[in-house]
Amino acid sequence: MSSPLPPEVPTPVEASAGVGETYTSTAEPAHGPEEGGGLPQFEFQHWGGQIIYLLFLFVVLYLLMAKVFAPRLRRVFEEREATISGAIASARQVQAEAAGQAEAAKAEVEQARAQSRATAAAAKARVTEAANARAAEEEAVVAARIAEAEGQIARTRDAAMTNVATIAADTASAMVERLTGTSVKPAEAAAVKGA
């Protein structure tokens, strides 16, 4: 079982009753419909002050917008427009320079091609001329060798022809001697040689 509280400690019910007695209510008395209860901003007697307050705020905000914020925004827009127009102008200038450089490079390439064609044609002409000169020299050397060989052949032929009569006489005398068994006299050999 629970032990009872000592008699000097008041119970919670008694304590709440004591608080109500010591404090007074701070709530205002309720207004009736005839006194205009409700929100004060909807009461006509406060409208004049509210309108003046709103006009003052409007003027302050208008002055802030017109003198502070709008010039800053205008300056930002002008700087942005100047930056964009400058970038566009520089891009157009760079594009024009690039087109000029491309044309110059194209002209240089065409000039280099023409020079290379001319150089190739000159080199081909030099090589052809050198080859023709070398061929002419070699033909001259070959012609000289052929002429020398023909001369040597002619000399050898003439020498052989001079010896043919002697060889024929010797052959005839050798054949006669073999066939007949008798030797040929030198006078007869000379007759064969002279024929």
Side-chain angles (χ1 to χ4, degrees), residues 32-50:
E34 66 275 349
E35 293 182 16
L39 297 173
Q41 56 266 40
F42 291 128
E43 295 179 6
F44 288 116
Q45 72 257 16
H46 299 293
W47 279 17
Q50 289 176 0

PDB file of all heavy atoms in Angstrom, residues 32-50:
ATOM      1  N   GLY A  32     -17.711  42.751 -28.677  1.00  0.00           N
ATOM      2  CA  GLY A  32     -18.934  42.313 -29.333  1.00  0.00           C
ATOM      3  C   GLY A  32     -18.961  42.804 -30.762  1.00  0.00           C
ATOM      4  O   GLY A  32     -18.116  43.572 -31.203  1.00  0.00           O
ATOM      5  N   PRO A  33     -19.883  42.389 -31.586  1.00  0.00           N
ATOM      6  CA  PRO A  33     -19.966  42.809 -32.982  1.00  0.00           C
ATOM      7  C   PRO A  33     -20.180  44.302 -33.119  1.00  0.00           C
ATOM      8  O   PRO A  33     -19.766  44.897 -34.093  1.00  0.00           O
ATOM      9  CB  PRO A  33     -21.143  42.022 -33.548  1.00  0.00           C
ATOM     10  CG  PRO A  33     -21.780  41.297 -32.409  1.00  0.00           C
ATOM     11  CD  PRO A  33     -20.926  41.430 -31.221  1.00  0.00           C
ATOM     12  N   GLU A  34     -20.732  44.938 -32.158  1.00  0.00           N
ATOM     13  CA  GLU A  34     -20.960  46.376 -32.264  1.00  0.00           C
ATOM     14  C   GLU A  34     -19.686  47.161 -32.046  1.00  0.00           C
ATOM     15  O   GLU A  34     -19.591  48.315 -32.423  1.00  0.00           O
ATOM     16  CB  GLU A  34     -22.054  46.829 -31.275  1.00  0.00           C
ATOM     17  CG  GLU A  34     -21.683  46.681 -29.808  1.00  0.00           C
ATOM     18  CD  GLU A  34     -21.948  45.289 -29.260  1.00  0.00           C
ATOM     19  OE1 GLU A  34     -22.607  44.467 -29.911  1.00  0.00           O
ATOM     20  OE2 GLU A  34     -21.432  44.999 -28.173  1.00  0.00           O
ATOM     21  N   GLU A  35     -18.668  46.597 -31.437  1.00  0.00           N
ATOM     22  CA  GLU A  35     -17.425  47.290 -31.193  1.00  0.00           C
ATOM     23  C   GLU A  35     -16.431  47.126 -32.344  1.00  0.00           C
ATOM     24  O   GLU A  35     -15.337  47.632 -32.285  1.00  0.00           O
ATOM     25  CB  GLU A  35     -16.809  46.787 -29.886  1.00  0.00           C
ATOM     26  CG  GLU A  35     -17.633  47.161 -28.659  1.00  0.00           C
ATOM     27  CD  GLU A  35     -16.968  46.683 -27.397  1.00  0.00           C
ATOM     28  OE1 GLU A  35     -15.773  46.345 -27.432  1.00  0.00           O
ATOM     29  OE2 GLU A  35     -17.641  46.638 -26.372  1.00  0.00           O
ATOM     30  N   GLY A  36     -16.727  46.367 -33.435  1.00  0.00           N
ATOM     31  CA  GLY A  36     -15.841  46.206 -34.602  1.00  0.00           C
ATOM     32  C   GLY A  36     -14.720  45.250 -34.345  1.00  0.00           C
ATOM     33  O   GLY A  36     -13.590  45.549 -34.691  1.00  0.00           O
ATOM     34  N   GLY A  37     -14.926  44.117 -33.776  1.00  0.00           N
ATOM     35  CA  GLY A  37     -13.909  43.126 -33.503  1.00  0.00           C
ATOM     36  C   GLY A  37     -13.381  42.506 -34.814  1.00  0.00           C
ATOM     37  O   GLY A  37     -13.943  42.681 -35.879  1.00  0.00           O
ATOM     38  N   GLY A  38     -12.261  41.795 -34.770  1.00  0.00           N
ATOM     39  CA  GLY A  38     -11.676  41.157 -35.929  1.00  0.00           C
ATOM     40  C   GLY A  38     -10.267  41.696 -36.182  1.00  0.00           C
ATOM     41  O   GLY A  38      -9.627  42.232 -35.291  1.00  0.00           O
ATOM     42  N   LEU A  39      -9.807  41.599 -37.420  1.00  0.00           N
ATOM     43  CA  LEU A  39      -8.460  42.039 -37.764  1.00  0.00           C
ATOM     44  C   LEU A  39      -8.414  43.555 -37.867  1.00  0.00           C
ATOM     45  O   LEU A  39      -9.265  44.164 -38.511  1.00  0.00           O
ATOM     46  CB  LEU A  39      -8.036  41.402 -39.084  1.00  0.00           C
ATOM     47  CG  LEU A  39      -7.935  39.868 -39.064  1.00  0.00           C
ATOM     48  CD1 LEU A  39      -7.666  39.346 -40.467  1.00  0.00           C
ATOM     49  CD2 LEU A  39      -6.839  39.420 -38.128  1.00  0.00           C
ATOM     50  N   PRO A  40      -7.375  44.178 -37.277  1.00  0.00           N
ATOM     51  CA  PRO A  40      -7.334  45.648 -37.276  1.00  0.00           C
ATOM     52  C   PRO A  40      -7.078  46.229 -38.661  1.00  0.00           C
ATOM     53  O   PRO A  40      -7.481  47.356 -38.936  1.00  0.00           O
ATOM     54  CB  PRO A  40      -6.186  45.986 -36.323  1.00  0.00           C
ATOM     55  CG  PRO A  40      -5.420  44.737 -36.133  1.00  0.00           C
ATOM     56  CD  PRO A  40      -6.325  43.597 -36.452  1.00  0.00           C
ATOM     57  N   GLN A  41      -6.401  45.486 -39.583  1.00  0.00           N
ATOM     58  CA  GLN A  41      -6.145  46.045 -40.898  1.00  0.00           C
ATOM     59  C   GLN A  41      -7.411  46.170 -41.735  1.00  0.00           C
ATOM     60  O   GLN A  41      -7.419  46.846 -42.750  1.00  0.00           O
ATOM     61  CB  GLN A  41      -5.068  45.245 -41.651  1.00  0.00           C
ATOM     62  CG  GLN A  41      -5.316  43.789 -41.827  1.00  0.00           C
ATOM     63  CD  GLN A  41      -4.667  42.964 -40.724  1.00  0.00           C
ATOM     64  OE1 GLN A  41      -4.697  43.365 -39.563  1.00  0.00           O
ATOM     65  NE2 GLN A  41      -4.112  41.825 -41.070  1.00  0.00           N
ATOM     66  N   PHE A  42      -8.477  45.527 -41.305  1.00  0.00           N
ATOM     67  CA  PHE A  42      -9.742  45.660 -42.026  1.00  0.00           C
ATOM     68  C   PHE A  42     -10.651  46.720 -41.402  1.00  0.00           C
ATOM     69  O   PHE A  42     -11.752  46.927 -41.882  1.00  0.00           O
ATOM     70  CB  PHE A  42     -10.482  44.325 -42.085  1.00  0.00           C
ATOM     71  CG  PHE A  42      -9.797  43.316 -42.970  1.00  0.00           C
ATOM     72  CD1 PHE A  42      -9.495  42.046 -42.515  1.00  0.00           C
ATOM     73  CD2 PHE A  42      -9.452  43.652 -44.272  1.00  0.00           C
ATOM     74  CE1 PHE A  42      -8.873  41.134 -43.330  1.00  0.00           C
ATOM     75  CE2 PHE A  42      -8.828  42.735 -45.082  1.00  0.00           C
ATOM     76  CZ  PHE A  42      -8.523  41.474 -44.623  1.00  0.00           C
ATOM     77  N   GLU A  43     -10.206  47.369 -40.363  1.00  0.00           N
ATOM     78  CA  GLU A  43     -11.013  48.419 -39.747  1.00  0.00           C
ATOM     79  C   GLU A  43     -10.715  49.743 -40.431  1.00  0.00           C
ATOM     80  O   GLU A  43      -9.561  50.073 -40.686  1.00  0.00           O
ATOM     81  CB  GLU A  43     -10.693  48.489 -38.250  1.00  0.00           C
ATOM     82  CG  GLU A  43     -11.108  47.233 -37.498  1.00  0.00           C
ATOM     83  CD  GLU A  43     -10.761  47.322 -36.022  1.00  0.00           C
ATOM     84  OE1 GLU A  43     -10.304  48.398 -35.572  1.00  0.00           O
ATOM     85  OE2 GLU A  43     -10.941  46.315 -35.335  1.00  0.00           O
ATOM     86  N   PHE A  44     -11.759  50.493 -40.726  1.00  0.00           N
ATOM     87  CA  PHE A  44     -11.634  51.732 -41.500  1.00  0.00           C
ATOM     88  C   PHE A  44     -10.794  52.787 -40.804  1.00  0.00           C
ATOM     89  O   PHE A  44     -10.130  53.573 -41.464  1.00  0.00           O
ATOM     90  CB  PHE A  44     -13.023  52.323 -41.812  1.00  0.00           C
ATOM     91  CG  PHE A  44     -13.770  51.538 -42.840  1.00  0.00           C
ATOM     92  CD1 PHE A  44     -14.960  50.896 -42.527  1.00  0.00           C
ATOM     93  CD2 PHE A  44     -13.298  51.440 -44.141  1.00  0.00           C
ATOM     94  CE1 PHE A  44     -15.641  50.165 -43.469  1.00  0.00           C
ATOM     95  CE2 PHE A  44     -13.997  50.711 -45.082  1.00  0.00           C
ATOM     96  CZ  PHE A  44     -15.171  50.076 -44.751  1.00  0.00           C
ATOM     97  N   GLN A  45     -10.787  52.871 -39.512  1.00  0.00           N
ATOM     98  CA  GLN A  45     -10.027  53.912 -38.839  1.00  0.00           C
ATOM     99  C   GLN A  45      -8.529  53.709 -38.985  1.00  0.00           C
ATOM    100  O   GLN A  45      -7.755  54.640 -38.834  1.00  0.00           O
ATOM    101  CB  GLN A  45     -10.415  54.021 -37.346  1.00  0.00           C
ATOM    102  CG  GLN A  45      -9.937  52.898 -36.482  1.00  0.00           C
ATOM    103  CD  GLN A  45     -11.057  51.927 -36.148  1.00  0.00           C
ATOM    104  OE1 GLN A  45     -12.089  51.937 -36.797  1.00  0.00           O
ATOM    105  NE2 GLN A  45     -10.849  51.097 -35.141  1.00  0.00           N
ATOM    106  N   HIS A  46      -8.052  52.488 -39.340  1.00  0.00           N
ATOM    107  CA  HIS A  46      -6.627  52.225 -39.522  1.00  0.00           C
ATOM    108  C   HIS A  46      -6.192  52.329 -40.984  1.00  0.00           C
ATOM    109  O   HIS A  46      -5.002  52.271 -41.274  1.00  0.00           O
ATOM    110  CB  HIS A  46      -6.272  50.816 -39.003  1.00  0.00           C
ATOM    111  CG  HIS A  46      -6.544  50.627 -37.538  1.00  0.00           C
ATOM    112  ND1 HIS A  46      -5.852  51.287 -36.551  1.00  0.00           N
ATOM    113  CD2 HIS A  46      -7.438  49.841 -36.894  1.00  0.00           C
ATOM    114  CE1 HIS A  46      -6.309  50.924 -35.377  1.00  0.00           C
ATOM    115  NE2 HIS A  46      -7.284  50.044 -35.553  1.00  0.00           N
ATOM    116  N   TRP A  47      -7.091  52.490 -41.910  1.00  0.00           N
ATOM    117  CA  TRP A  47      -6.753  52.475 -43.328  1.00  0.00           C
ATOM    118  C   TRP A  47      -5.888  53.659 -43.750  1.00  0.00           C
ATOM    119  O   TRP A  47      -5.032  53.555 -44.609  1.00  0.00           O
ATOM    120  CB  TRP A  47      -8.016  52.434 -44.188  1.00  0.00           C
ATOM    121  CG  TRP A  47      -8.583  51.036 -44.295  1.00  0.00           C
ATOM    122  CD1 TRP A  47      -8.301  49.988 -43.512  1.00  0.00           C
ATOM    123  CD2 TRP A  47      -9.491  50.598 -45.273  1.00  0.00           C
ATOM    124  NE1 TRP A  47      -8.990  48.884 -43.897  1.00  0.00           N
ATOM    125  CE2 TRP A  47      -9.752  49.241 -45.009  1.00  0.00           C
ATOM    126  CE3 TRP A  47     -10.145  51.193 -46.326  1.00  0.00           C
ATOM    127  CZ2 TRP A  47     -10.618  48.481 -45.755  1.00  0.00           C
ATOM    128  CZ3 TRP A  47     -11.013  50.423 -47.064  1.00  0.00           C
ATOM    129  CH2 TRP A  47     -11.244  49.063 -46.796  1.00  0.00           C
ATOM    130  N   GLY A  48      -6.105  54.786 -43.200  1.00  0.00           N
ATOM    131  CA  GLY A  48      -5.312  55.969 -43.561  1.00  0.00           C
ATOM    132  C   GLY A  48      -3.838  55.749 -43.277  1.00  0.00           C
ATOM    133  O   GLY A  48      -2.959  56.020 -44.115  1.00  0.00           O
ATOM    134  N   GLY A  49      -3.506  55.270 -42.092  1.00  0.00           N
ATOM    135  CA  GLY A  49      -2.122  54.998 -41.727  1.00  0.00           C
ATOM    136  C   GLY A  49      -1.511  53.894 -42.597  1.00  0.00           C
ATOM    137  O   GLY A  49      -0.338  53.960 -42.992  1.00  0.00           O
ATOM    138  N   GLN A  50      -2.345  52.899 -42.897  1.00  0.00           N
ATOM    139  CA  GLN A  50      -1.843  51.803 -43.721  1.00  0.00           C
ATOM    140  C   GLN A  50      -1.544  52.272 -45.144  1.00  0.00           C
ATOM    141  O   GLN A  50      -0.534  51.888 -45.741  1.00  0.00           O
ATOM    142  CB  GLN A  50      -2.863  50.660 -43.755  1.00  0.00           C
ATOM    143  CG  GLN A  50      -2.973  49.924 -42.431  1.00  0.00           C
ATOM    144  CD  GLN A  50      -4.060  48.855 -42.462  1.00  0.00           C
ATOM    145  OE1 GLN A  50      -4.730  48.672 -43.470  1.00  0.00           O
ATOM    146  NE2 GLN A  50      -4.241  48.177 -41.339  1.00  0.00           N
TER     147      GLN A  50
END
